[in-house]
Amino acid sequence: MSRLKRVLIVLGSAVAVFVAAVGGLFLWLYTDAKASTAGSTEFTNELAIPPLAKSVVRADGTRVFDLTMRAGEKEFRPGKRTPTWGFDGAHLGPTLRAERGEKVAVRVANELDEASTVHWHGMHLPARMDGGPHQMVAPGATWTPNWTVDQPAATLWYHPHPHGATEKHVQRGLAGMFLLDDARSKTLALPGRYGVDDLPVVVQDVRFDGAAFDHGHGLMASVGFLGDRTMVNGTLAPYKETADERVRLRLLNASTARVYTFGFDDDRRFALVGTDGGLLERPAELNRTRLSPGERAEIVVTMRPGERTVLRSYPLDAGLDFWNQRFSGGDDSFDVLQLRAAKTLRPSPGVPARLGLPEVLDGKDAVRGRHFDLRRSGINGRPMEMDRIDETVTRGTTETWTVRNVDGMPHNFHVHDVQFRILAVNGEQPPPALRGAKDTVFVPSGTTVRLAMRFDGPADPDTPYMYHCHLLSHEDDGMMGQFVVVEKGRGPGKVRTPGVHAGH
Ligand code: C2O
Ligand code: CU
Ligand code: CU
């Protein structure tokens, strides 16, 4: 053999070994990235129902709640005490409930050893009460926002919003539901007994490392944290017994990055009755409904006596590329919650054909349009700055916002203070599940959504509301912008944020 030949053979085998090693590593990462509990879950734990928050009504009619953020421990699995954060209790928070027209106040006490905030996701309220990154509550301090509930019945929620640390605060357990009722919702024949046939379903994915939560991001996961199993209301492998023919599930995706495609294991159909901002005009019959982080859906499922069915999350069908489909959790599937029907069931009325009042928000009276390009590195090319106001809108006007994902990974888009209508998805009429009131919308790569929204809140040129990607690590890293609402003809003011440090 010539010398050259021997050199070539040695080189060739070195390359082959290298390629095999890289290929093997990729194969391992690829295989390891897929999580599934579908079909293999033993439902051993009774579903916990968050208590309804107590409140007192002051002489002036204000309903006052107390919420205390604190650290604790919870036994998710027998014998393993996981350090957690929670509102009032060790993990998650009670369900607040109020009626349209009511004045509410919440005394938010922070007993953590770091500053946080509490944001009322989906609530229409003054910017100073919003609980965004400008309303930090220092350790030991109490913050008492108050506002008048002025929006239709809906399933809203609350969670911290400290700039740069929202993912961490939510993952440790700071999240809860805020239900709104109105005159109409109280007379509709929908299942409405809280915890009985009207169930809060707070879905989060988790991963444990020994007793503790493991909040590490996967090597390839550009969306952020992805757990290897799910829990509902903080209960792993949960089941719920029901004695009613129809059950309403108020689904909340309180995960920080994962998108769920909910359906049942037997593919039964259910009635979608509400989305983020309240009841649909009419129910939509579906067998799947998708929720990205922050979104809510109210569904009514019909049970037959003695049967069991499992609420499942199916793989994501959103046109993700090969890479993202696997490494952003798109191939994952989970058994989320088992429903167990009693041998005899109380009959429930059929789902009403008319639900919410029609609200015309078609964008025809829009005074201006805005464009938002979503990229991991920032919205419209720049990361969030606490003292920069990005957009100034006029009180009492309607606008259309066009939001494009021009990035190689999935994002979503959430706007504070308003409920918007989705006019179009990639130029086409949205599907039924996206026709109701929304405050958060999933925007996978290559997708453009057109939104119409009306800014009816009080003007406050100095205090911004947020818009952002609700994949919380993206938000923390700066995929967020700020808008203020001003009186006609006015400009933005100057942001005053006493003692707030933006850490990203
Ligand atoms: Cu649910 Cu700005 O957040
Ligand atoms: Cu929000
Ligand atoms: Cu994002």
Side-chain angles (χ1 to χ4, degrees):
M1 243 189 314
S2 77
R3 193 188 166 117
L4 177 65
K5 218 169 175 182
R6 279 204 305 271
V7 169
L8 283 179
I9 287 171
V10 169
L11 263 179
S13 17
V15 168
V17 166
F18 180 74
V19 166
V22 168
L25 178 67
F26 180 78
L27 197 68
W28 177 76
L29 285 170
Y30 186 80
T31 312
D32 189 58
K34 181 168 165 175
S36 177
T37 61
S40 61
T41 305
E42 275 185 64
F43 299 91
T44 46
N45 303 310
E46 191 179 342
L47 176 71
I49 301 292
L52 283 170
K54 293 195 183 63
S55 58
V56 295
V57 179
R58 278 192 204 135
D60 71 348
T62 305
R63 182 174 294 284
V64 186
F65 297 93
D66 278 286
L67 278 182
T68 303
M69 296 189 259
R70 55 183 183 80
E73 271 186 345
K74 176 170 163 154
E75 236 180 86
F76 292 94
R77 298 156 302 157
K80 301 212 163 106
R81 306 181 71 79
T82 304
T84 53
W85 285 1
F87 291 100
D88 298 354
H91 185 247
L92 299 180
T95 298
L96 276 61
R97 191 154 201 171
E99 222 175 290
R100 185 169 198 167
E102 261 188 317
K103 284 187 280 188
V104 297
V106 190
R107 287 193 293 243
V108 178
N110 182 359
E111 289 181 4
L112 301 169
D113 54 16
E114 62 184 278
S116 190
T117 73
V118 181
H119 165 60
W120 320 101
H121 181 127
M123 196 78 75
H124 172 52
L125 38 49
R128 278 176 308 122
M129 311 300 173
D130 190 42
H134 296 282
Q135 289 87 40
M136 294 295 279
V137 190
T142 298
W143 171 64
T144 310
N146 63 90
W147 67 94
T148 301
V149 175
D150 187 18
Q151 66 193 91
T155 300
L156 311 183
W157 66 301
Y158 59 93
H159 63 79
H161 217 300
H163 185 37
T166 296
E167 183 196 41
K168 185 175 87 179
H169 288 211
V170 173
Q171 277 176 330
R172 288 181 178 177
L174 293 174
M177 273 194 179
F178 201 139
L179 307 185
L180 298 182
D181 303 299
D182 62 21
R184 187 174 169 82
S185 73
K186 289 175 82 173
T187 60
L188 275 177
L190 283 172
R193 279 165 301 146
Y194 182 80
V196 179
D197 62 354
D198 182 357
L199 308 176
V201 180
V202 180
V203 185
Q204 296 175 301
D205 57 340
V206 278
R207 181 190 291 272
F208 292 96
D209 177 10
F213 283 137
D214 172 2
H215 289 151
H217 293 189
L219 205 55
M220 307 286 191
S222 53
V223 288
F225 169 80
L226 294 170
D228 57 5
R229 60 195 300 186
T230 53
M231 57 184 179
V232 177
N233 304 340
T235 309
L236 294 167
Y239 68 86
K240 174 71 183 168
E241 282 165 358
T242 166
D244 289 281
E245 186 190 354
R246 279 183 239 284
V247 186
R248 174 190 198 165
L249 304 179
R250 297 179 186 253
L251 304 171
L252 158 64
N253 182 349
S255 295
T256 54
R258 186 176 284 290
V259 179
Y260 297 100
T261 304
F262 292 111
F264 289 89
D265 61 342
D266 51 10
D267 257 333
R268 74 180 52 202
R269 300 175 85 76
F270 51 83
L272 178 75
V273 297
T275 53
D276 301 342
L279 296 169
L280 298 175
E281 253 182 85
R282 328 157 191 273
E285 267 244 322
L286 303 171
N287 67 348
R288 296 281 186 275
T289 195
R290 183 160 78 196
L291 294 183
S292 71
E295 290 183 289
R296 287 86 66 208
E298 294 186 34
I299 65 171
V300 175
V301 53
T302 303
M303 302 291 293
R304 286 178 299 263
E307 72 167 348
R308 291 179 173 190
T309 187
V310 176
L311 176 71
R312 187 168 276 179
S313 177
Y314 285 92
L316 181 62
D317 177 15
L320 262 48
D321 61 39
F322 168 82
W323 188 269
N324 275 292
Q325 183 65 19
R326 175 55 62 105
F327 294 111
S328 300
D331 287 331
D332 300 350
S333 49
F334 300 96
D335 279 347
V336 176
L337 169 67
Q338 186 188 51
L339 296 176
R340 299 180 180 174
K343 294 247 152 43
T344 54
L345 295 175
R346 282 185 290 262
S348 313
V351 176
R354 294 280 178 161
L355 298 164
L357 290 177
E359 249 178 85
V360 198
L361 191 55
D362 53 15
K364 293 214 173 83
D365 58 341
V367 299
R368 82 171 268 185
R370 292 176 205 266
H371 285 82
F372 299 88
D373 279 357
L374 304 183
R375 270 193 205 87
R376 171 76 208 255
S377 52
I379 299 176
N380 285 343
R382 46 192 197 180
M384 158 85 173
E385 284 295 340
M386 287 288 282
D387 55 7
R388 186 191 67 224
I389 294 169
D390 298 282
E391 311 290 338
T392 302
V393 308
T394 303
R395 188 179 69 80
T397 65
T398 300
E399 300 197 354
T400 56
W401 288 17
T402 303
V403 183
R404 290 197 304 171
N405 182 337
V406 290
D407 209 358
M409 65 183 84
H411 297 295
N412 72 4
F413 192 71
H414 168 51
V415 186
H416 286 208
D417 183 49
V418 298
Q419 292 292 333
F420 51 73
R421 298 298 152 140
I422 302 171
L423 301 176
V425 178
N426 288 336
E428 308 207 341
Q429 213 208 355
L434 299 181
R435 286 187 204 154
K438 298 279 297 162
D439 55 51
T440 308
V441 58
F442 185 44
V443 194
S445 304
T447 299
T448 301
V449 293
R450 248 185 107 233
L451 315 173
M453 62 195 86
R454 202 180 151 77
F455 299 92
D456 277 324
D460 182 345
D462 305 318
T463 314
Y465 294 104
M466 307 294 131
Y467 54 84
H468 58 90
C469 177
H470 216 289
L471 276 59
L472 297 182
S473 70
H474 291 183
E475 174 194 329
D476 284 341
D477 286 348
M479 263 195 89
M480 180 153 70
Q482 314 198 88
F483 71 96
V484 290
V485 179
V486 301
E487 295 294 354
K488 192 168 187 257
R490 297 292 182 79
K494 199 162 168 38
V495 181
R496 283 161 302 181
T497 44
V500 179
H501 175 73
H504 58 79

